[in-house]
């Protein structure tokens, strides 16, 4: 881990797909690193999302994923699978409550590696409108499963969801190698100014929550 | 001499197997077993869990298990002021968010005796009807997809986007509108609103014919829906069903006619009702309702009265006198009611939502048993449930 990824850095670092020069610069033999780039490129362009939606965000994700107006097929991610065994992208669309949390964890565990998670909407990021004074809401999907990209909004527009997906694709292309499987970047929030991390935001939220209750 | 009894009656395979199974003689006899449907299932429209007691392929009993999206809204509403109640109702039945906003605003207006003008009422009515069409279009698309047809999904979402654009223009939101507030509206309508609504109506009218040619006239769809999941009028009333589910069973109950609110008494429209109460009736009632909604909008769109869009100071604190208040309205799925108990302070001491989907879902336990598991999906889909509205 240890690498602090920010959007600007990712966009600078992410090697263009067949650019072998940038692949050479990394450590290790040239062949393996080029295979890494190829594999990551292939993975990033064939994400199969799981049809998982709990509330309002699911409609906008459906709008983005299935409908003709904003076509997710342009990014190679239109094959929505109802079974977690066949999917490799979990889009947490909507609020997660305490009763649903073990089920979400089971769904995540059933997915085959490599698997990626996008948390869409305020509820999946922090609890959203239910962050205060709710006895049943889980404050963010990261409390249950590791999240790669957060997409803010309540609910996010389909375009925002696309931006999150493109951010995830960049992360995958820049991401784990064959020699270091499972090593993943820290989560990023799509559409966030560079230099601000999720940790900063979370600290702000906690400070705000303390201020609201006292 | 041994006499052999010969059965002359030719019965179906099912009947014979069932008869033999009852006597415990058949090798083909089935036994009852339980299957979990959901909470992760593409046809339950969210995180609804149904425990099915099956016998072979026949559904014997359905036990809905709720709570997978219970967010504690009613408790949370007690911590919010009267003006802040509105945004919570967006997230109940997110496909009828404007209508939900209207109900909670109406009950606060009734409690605090806030007067509103004709312009506000007219705009509220137009937005509510726009959203009814939008909601039914989404239902139509998803209904087609549940039955295995992908084209309605594309058509429904394409045309829904036209109405979403109108909402976005005035309100700025696409789904959770947060538009109607106690005392009026959050913003006045966009200058292009009237023009865009008219363009949408002239676009939508021929589209309904296309939907009918594409889906309603399809023999496979008709065979899968007709005489499936029959809900008789008596059970529908007893189970507390409302909206298109109740009207499809032949009960002409629509709050827009019975107890008109907004400007519904000024406009001319009819309420479509079904005869049998099967999935096909629920389908046709919704398809006809969309046409009626457009008719209402057409009558109102040219005569929006002049006036203010907010009759009170924005942000003024509301303190209704102590008491119990209730208001209900007809959303796209049925009667949505808000019960409010005020103790005279800035926050309500108890809020309860009477949501249509909770009651409509319970019709499933009445109509699905006895049918096949294949029909179950079309029945769930024809009830058009939104799960966060059930769990609250």
């Amino acid at each position: 881990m240890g690498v602090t990824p920010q959007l600007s850095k990712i966009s600078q670092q992410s090697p263009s797909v067949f650019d072998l020069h940038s692949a050479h610069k990394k450590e290790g033999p040239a062949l393996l690193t080029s295979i890494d780039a190829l594999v990551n490129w292939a993975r990033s362009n064939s994400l199969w999302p799981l049809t998982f939606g709990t509330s309002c965000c699911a409609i906008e994700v459906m709008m983005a994923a299935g409908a003709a107006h904003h076509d997710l097929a342009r990014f190679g991610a239109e094959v929505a699978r109802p079974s977690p065994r066949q999917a490799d992208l979990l889009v947490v669309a909507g609020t997660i409550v305490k009763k649903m949390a073990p089920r979400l964890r089971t769904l995540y565990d059933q997915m085959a590696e490599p698997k990626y998670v996008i948390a869409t909407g305020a509820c999946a990021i922090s609890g959203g409108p239910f962050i205060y004074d709710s006895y049943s809401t889980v404050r963010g999907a990261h409390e249950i499963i590791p999240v790669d990209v957060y997409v803010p909004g309540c609910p996010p527009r389909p375009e925002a969801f696309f931006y999150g997906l493109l951010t995830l694709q960049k992360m995958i292309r820049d991401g784990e190698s064959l020699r270091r499987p499972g090593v993943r970047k820290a989560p990023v929030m799509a559409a966030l100014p560079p230099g601000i991390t999720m940790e900063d935001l979370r600290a702000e939220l906690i400070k705000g929550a303390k201020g609201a209750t006292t | 001499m041994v006499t052999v009894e010969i059965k002359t009656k030719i019965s179906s395979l099912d009947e014979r197997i069932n008869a033999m199974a009852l006597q415990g003689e058949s090798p083909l006899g089935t036994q009852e077993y339980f299957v979990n449907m959901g909470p992760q299932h593409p046809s339950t429209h969210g995180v609804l869990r149904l425990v099915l007691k099956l016998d072979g392929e026949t559904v014997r009993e359905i036990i809905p298990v709720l709570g997978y999206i219970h967010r504690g809204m009613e408790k949370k509403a007690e911590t919010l002021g009267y003006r802040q109640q509105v945004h919570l109702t967006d997230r109940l039945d997110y496909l009828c968010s404007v209508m939900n906003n209207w109900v909670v605003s109406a009950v606060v207006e009734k409690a605090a005796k806030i007067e509103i003008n004709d312009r506000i009422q007219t705009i509220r009515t137009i937005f509510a009807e726009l959203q009814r069409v939008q909601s039914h279009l989404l239902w139509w698309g998803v209904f087609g997809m549940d039955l295995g047809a992908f084209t309605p999904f594309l058509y429904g979402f394409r045309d829904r986007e036209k109405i979403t654009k109108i909402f976005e223009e005035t309100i700025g939101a696409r789904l959770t509108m947060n538009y109607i507030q106690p005392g009026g509206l959050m913003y006045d309508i966009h200058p292009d609103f009237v023009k865009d609504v008219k363009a949408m109506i002239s676009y939508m009218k021929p589209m309904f014919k296309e939907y009918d040619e594409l889906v309603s006239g399809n023999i496979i769809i008709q065979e899968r829906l007709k005489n499936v999941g029959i809900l008789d009028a008596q059970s529908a009333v007893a189970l507390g069903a409302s909206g298109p589910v109740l009207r499809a069973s032949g009960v002409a109950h629509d709050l827009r006619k019975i107890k008109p609110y907004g400007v519904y008494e000024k406009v001319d429209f009819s309420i479509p009702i079904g005869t049998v109460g099967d999935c096909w009736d629920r389908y046709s009632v919704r398809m006809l309702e969309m046409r009626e909604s457009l008719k209402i909008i057409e009558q109102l769109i040219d005569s929006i009265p002049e006036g203010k869009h907010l009759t009170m100071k924005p942000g003024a604190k509301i303190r209704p006198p102590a008491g119990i208040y209730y208001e209900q309205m007809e959303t796209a799925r049925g009667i949505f009611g808000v019960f409010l108990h005020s103790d005279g302070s800035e926050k309500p001491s108890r809020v309860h939502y009477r949501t249509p989907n909770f009651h409509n879902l319970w019709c499933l336990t009445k109509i699905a048993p006895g049918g096949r598991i294949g029909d179950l999906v079309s029945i769930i889909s024809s009830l058009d449930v939104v799960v966060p509205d059930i769990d609250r």
Side-chain angles (χ1 to χ4, degrees):
Chain A
M1 309 293 263
V3 193
T4 44
Q6 281 150 17
L7 275 182
S8 57
K9 280 190 189 168
I10 290 169
S11 54
Q12 282 162 18
Q13 285 174 357
S14 82
S16 78
V17 180
F18 295 113
D19 186 2
L20 290 179
H21 271 291
S22 67
H24 269 301
K25 280 174 198 161
K26 289 183 180 171
E27 70 216 74
L31 184 65
L32 264 183
T33 40
S34 354
I35 289 177
D36 275 350
L38 189 67
V39 166
N40 284 337
W41 169 78
R43 277 177 181 167
S44 71
N45 282 311
S46 62
L47 291 165
W48 287 16
L50 176 74
T51 53
F52 174 79
T54 56
S55 53
C56 340
C57 289
I59 301 292
E60 287 291 86
V61 171
M62 249 158 71
M63 189 85 213
H69 197 269
H70 317 266
D71 187 13
L72 202 58
R74 293 179 288 160
F75 308 109
E78 83 281 14
V79 196
R81 295 279 128 182
S83 165
R85 307 272 185 209
Q86 300 167 349
D88 53 8
L89 169 64
L90 176 58
V91 180
V92 185
T95 323
I96 305 300
V97 300
K98 282 177 186 163
K99 194 170 179 181
M100 191 64 199
R103 272 76 183 177
L104 179 62
R105 183 73 217 187
T106 312
L107 283 173
Y108 180 76
D109 289 343
Q110 283 176 340
M111 286 164 68
E113 290 279 358
K115 51 195 172 186
Y116 308 97
V117 178
I118 295 182
T120 54
C123 294
I125 294 173
S126 66
F130 309 99
I131 186 168
Y132 311 126
D133 309 315
S134 173
Y135 52 83
S136 61
T137 312
V138 174
R139 268 67 165 175
H142 62 269
E143 297 199 353
I144 309 152
I145 51 175
V147 178
D148 291 309
V149 174
Y150 296 91
V151 183
C154 189
R157 301 173 57 90
E159 290 88 344
F161 176 67
F162 287 153
Y163 191 70
L165 190 81
L166 291 174
T167 311
L168 180 70
Q169 288 188 341
K170 273 182 191 167
M171 280 180 77
I172 296 171
R173 275 181 217 143
D174 202 30
E176 53 192 303
S177 68
L178 293 174
R179 277 164 295 134
R180 291 179 284 119
V183 175
R184 202 71 73 72
K185 305 271 179 181
V188 297
M189 185 178 249
L192 201 72
I196 297 175
T197 57
M198 275 305 292
E199 280 65 37
D200 298 343
L201 276 186
R202 207 161 283 145
E204 283 285 316
L205 278 172
I206 290 163
K207 215 191 285 173
K210 273 177 189 164
T213 45
T214 49
Chain B
M1 255 233 35
V2 182
T3 53
V4 181
E5 221 180 282
I6 301 168
K7 283 182 187 170
T8 49
K9 193 191 162 203
I10 300 169
S11 50
S12 75
L13 185 65
D14 268 7
E15 281 170 15
R16 277 185 287 171
I17 290 172
N18 284 343
M20 288 160 88
L22 281 178
Q23 292 157 8
E25 330 175 320
S26 164
L28 288 172
T30 54
Q31 71 183 76
E32 288 180 346
Y33 61 104
F34 287 92
V35 167
N36 255 317
M37 187 177 177
Q40 160 63 16
H41 191 280
S43 296
T44 53
H45 295 207
V47 283
L48 175 65
R49 177 177 162 208
L50 301 170
V51 179
L52 311 176
K53 190 177 175 189
L54 300 172
D55 181 1
E57 237 186 295
T58 314
V59 181
R60 290 275 176 250
E61 200 183 341
I62 290 190
I63 308 155
V65 183
L66 305 181
Y68 290 96
I69 186 72
H70 172 68
R71 300 183 271 194
M73 285 221 195
E74 291 178 1
K75 190 70 190 163
K76 187 173 167 51
E78 291 168 18
T79 65
L80 300 173
Y82 286 97
R83 201 171 273 289
Q84 298 168 312
Q85 298 292 331
V86 174
H87 84 272
L88 270 189
T89 53
D90 281 343
R91 280 129 190 116
L92 282 170
D93 184 353
Y94 41 80
L95 296 176
C96 306
S97 46
V98 167
M99 291 183 248
N100 292 356
N101 293 169
W102 193 0
V103 185
V104 78
S105 302
V107 70
V108 173
E109 280 157 11
K110 186 177 167 187
K113 296 192 176 56
I114 301 168
E115 293 286 320
I116 45 170
N117 58 30
D118 276 355
R119 181 180 175 81
I120 294 169
Q121 292 284 30
T122 313
I123 294 173
R124 282 178 178 184
T125 313
I126 292 173
F127 268 99
E129 291 308 313
L130 278 175
Q131 191 150 50
R132 197 181 305 276
V133 180
Q134 192 199 29
S135 165
H136 284 348
L137 276 177
L138 186 133
W139 159 81
W140 183 72
V142 176
F143 189 57
M145 203 163 70
D146 284 347
L147 294 178
F150 193 66
T151 319
F153 181 77
L154 294 175
Y155 278 55
F157 271 71
R158 181 194 65 189
D159 298 341
R160 185 180 174 272
E161 184 70 18
K162 306 240 180 255
I163 306 177
T164 310
K165 283 249 160 66
I166 295 174
F167 280 122
E168 207 179 344
E169 196 177 65
T170 293
I171 302 170
R174 292 165 55 88
L175 199 67
T176 46
M177 307 293 181
N178 198 9
Y179 182 50
I180 297 175
Q181 61 167 334
L185 310 163
M186 289 281 178
Y187 328 97
D188 209 346
I189 50 172
H190 192 270
D192 289 346
F193 178 72
V194 176
K195 193 184 76 182
D196 289 348
V197 169
K198 279 181 183 167
M200 189 277 292
I201 290 174
S202 56
Y203 169 83
M204 281 305 293
K205 278 196 166 170
M207 276 300 143
F208 290 135
K209 270 182 211 151
E210 202 172 315
Y211 299 162
D212 282 347
E213 281 166 18
L214 189 71
V215 176
S216 314
N218 188 321
I219 186 72
I220 301 171
I221 293 275
Q222 296 202 1
E223 287 293 318
R224 284 196 65 181
L225 300 183
K226 279 185 178 168
N227 294 319
V228 168
I230 297 175
L231 178 69
D232 58 300
Q234 211 174 354
S235 323
V237 173
L239 285 160
S242 56
V245 176
L246 179 64
R247 291 195 283 276
S249 300
V251 185
H253 185 277
D254 191 326
L255 285 178
R256 293 177 291 168
K257 280 276 184 202
I258 292 170
K259 205 182 152 209
Y261 53 92
V263 287
Y264 283 115
E265 50 194 345
K266 289 184 198 163
V267 289
D268 169 45
F269 68 103
S270 55
I271 42 173
I273 57 167
T275 47
V276 187
D278 54 357
C279 290
W280 175 252
D281 275 353
R282 288 190 279 276
Y283 176 89
S284 345
V285 162
R286 288 200 183 92
M287 294 307 274
L288 292 172
E289 255 185 28
M290 284 198 268
R291 292 179 172 85
E292 294 300 319
S293 293
L294 285 193
K295 219 161 91 184
I296 297 173
I297 300 169
E298 262 187 333
Q299 290 171 46
L300 293 174
I301 193 71
D302 278 325
S303 55
I304 302 176
E306 291 298 315
K308 283 183 176 176
H309 72 280
L310 189 62
T311 54
M312 57 192 292
K313 207 176 134 199
K317 287 233 164 102
I318 301 172
R319 283 170 190 268
I324 296 172
Y325 307 97
Y326 181 74
E327 193 66 53
Q328 56 183 14
M329 282 179 194
E330 189 80 26
T331 70
R333 279 166 190 76
I335 297 170
F336 178 70
V338 177
F339 167 90
L340 210 66
H341 181 254
S342 164
D343 55 1
S345 68
E346 281 172 19
K347 293 171 183 173
S349 63
R350 174 82 169 97
V351 177
H352 174 66
Y353 303 117
R354 186 258 183 237
T355 53
N357 290 295
F358 182 83
H359 298 267
N360 288 354
L361 171 73
W362 248 254
C363 297
L364 190 66
T365 58
K366 168 83 185 168
I367 59 182
R372 294 305 176 92
I373 194 167
D375 293 333
L376 181 65
V377 171
S378 52
I379 294 173
I380 297 172
S381 208
S382 75
L383 293 175
D384 189 17
V385 288
V386 169
V387 185
D389 195 39
I390 299 168
D391 283 352
R392 311 200 261 280

